[in-house]
Amino acid sequence: MSGLGATFNPISFAEGRFRRAYMGTWTKPLSKIGQWCVVKKSKETFTWKEKDWDTTKAVQEEAQTFADEFNNHFRTNYPIRFTEVNVLQVTSVPNLKDAPKLNEYVVTEDYIDGEFKKWCNNYGYVSEEAKTTAPSMPAFMHWSWYHTNGQMMIADLQGAKLTNSYLLTDPVILSDDDQFGCTDTGVEGMLMFFRTHKCNKFCSSLPAPTISDFIGIIPPFTLSMCSVAMPSVTNCTAYQQELKLTRPVKNAVLRTFRNVAARIQH
């Protein structure tokens, strides 16, 4: 199976809730010929227009911009990087179930050569390793929230720890207006993160909302429904259609976020 710029195995080697992944090799550019790559397609739909991947590309590029600023600010020994997304069209394909179709558009990126791990998702899950030996992962989420005055957060942090950096893929951006596609769980995803987050050496100086900030804002029954939903998306990506907060409650939570993010830390 091939596309314009890569050849790949039509049998997937991994999948999440949203995409399937196929192992491949680059056929161009010249600097990458023969190197491993990963081809990904949507599980639920066929992608016949290149622009349908625009949100995916924009999220990855925006996440890298945030990561650059985070790395420069904290000067960590292991800076955070994200893979670059390329959109390719499939030019040849066998007739196999679950394989990309002829002329379908897929995304392709460099293969991450390391032990793949999911440190955080987009609905409050933070792995034990992220809490102990990879503290920059939840700190990056917290910092991105603070950096945007409580209006955005980089989430769904997954990838590998390499010799001198973290290399991540498939991030999610949570936004105050749910503009970044079906995995943008918005202020509800941010709220669920802060329900479990414990600040570490990177983010201890940053403002953070606590449950007391939401007394009288979130109905107890609604918060209970969110808590029940958390285990169902542990270690995987949540979707917008699974959210529980009503728009008026989300707006109230966002106002609280902005007030908290504006606090001066002493």
Side-chain angles (χ1 to χ4, degrees), residues 16-249:
R17 296 185 77 193
F18 189 47
R19 296 173 186 160
R20 289 190 178 90
Y22 306 82
M23 184 63 72
T25 55
W26 293 108
T27 57
K28 65 178 186 180
L30 185 63
S31 61
K32 289 188 176 183
I33 290 177
Q35 295 180 21
W36 292 110
C37 66
V38 175
V39 172
K40 298 175 181 178
K41 76 173 299 294
S42 172
K43 291 175 65 174
E44 299 180 350
T45 61
F46 297 108
T47 309
W48 302 117
K49 298 178 182 179
E50 184 176 3
K51 68 181 181 64
D52 289 341
W53 288 110
D54 284 355
T55 297
T56 297
K57 291 183 64 177
V59 166
Q60 208 112 330
E61 291 167 0
E62 187 77 355
Q64 184 59 62
T65 298
F66 275 84
D68 289 341
E69 295 184 51
F70 177 85
N71 296 335
N72 289 335
H73 181 80
F74 288 101
R75 300 292 180 182
T76 71
N77 293 329
Y78 291 91
I80 295 171
R81 298 186 294 122
F82 288 89
T83 54
E84 180 182 353
V85 170
N86 300 269
V87 180
L88 306 179
Q89 188 174 28
V90 177
T91 55
S92 66
V93 57
N95 186 21
L96 293 177
K97 181 183 179 182
D98 298 333
K101 303 302 181 184
L102 183 65
N103 296 325
E104 184 178 4
Y105 285 92
V106 293
V107 292
T108 309
E109 57 195 32
D110 291 340
Y111 172 67
I112 298 178
D113 189 10
E115 184 181 358
F116 196 91
K117 297 181 178 181
K118 186 151 189 163
W119 288 286
C120 311
N121 78 347
N122 62 339
Y123 201 76
Y125 168 76
V126 178
S127 71
E128 288 304 314
E129 183 171 349
K131 296 173 184 176
T132 54
T133 60
S136 59
M137 295 294 118
F140 180 43
M141 293 180 65
H142 186 172
W143 177 87
S144 64
W145 173 89
Y146 169 70
H147 192 61
T148 59
N149 196 33
Q151 298 178 73
M152 292 173 60
M153 178 184 284
I154 309 298
D156 228 28
L157 303 182
Q158 56 203 323
K161 185 177 183 179
L162 307 181
T163 304
N164 55 7
S165 68
Y166 289 101
L167 183 57
L168 310 184
T169 184
D170 291 338
V172 167
I173 296 181
L174 313 184
S175 65
D176 61 353
D177 55 0
D178 308 331
Q179 65 175 296
F180 290 102
C182 64
T183 56
D184 179 357
T185 55
V187 295
E188 184 170 330
M190 300 179 211
L191 174 68
M192 299 310 288
F193 169 74
F194 281 115
R195 285 204 69 201
T196 60
H197 176 58
K198 297 186 185 305
C199 289
N200 56 52
K201 61 182 181 181
F202 292 108
C203 59
S204 60
S205 65
L206 303 180
T210 64
I211 195 63
S212 62
D213 291 309
F214 300 103
I215 294 175
I217 293 176
I218 305 175
F221 178 71
T222 301
L223 196 57
S224 176
M225 286 198 304
C226 293
S227 299
V228 170
M230 279 189 70
S232 68
V233 294
T234 292
N235 202 25
C236 61
T237 304
Y239 287 87
Q240 286 182 348
Q241 61 262 35
E242 296 170 317
L243 300 182
K244 310 299 180 184
L245 301 187
T246 64
R247 175 48 60 184
V249 172

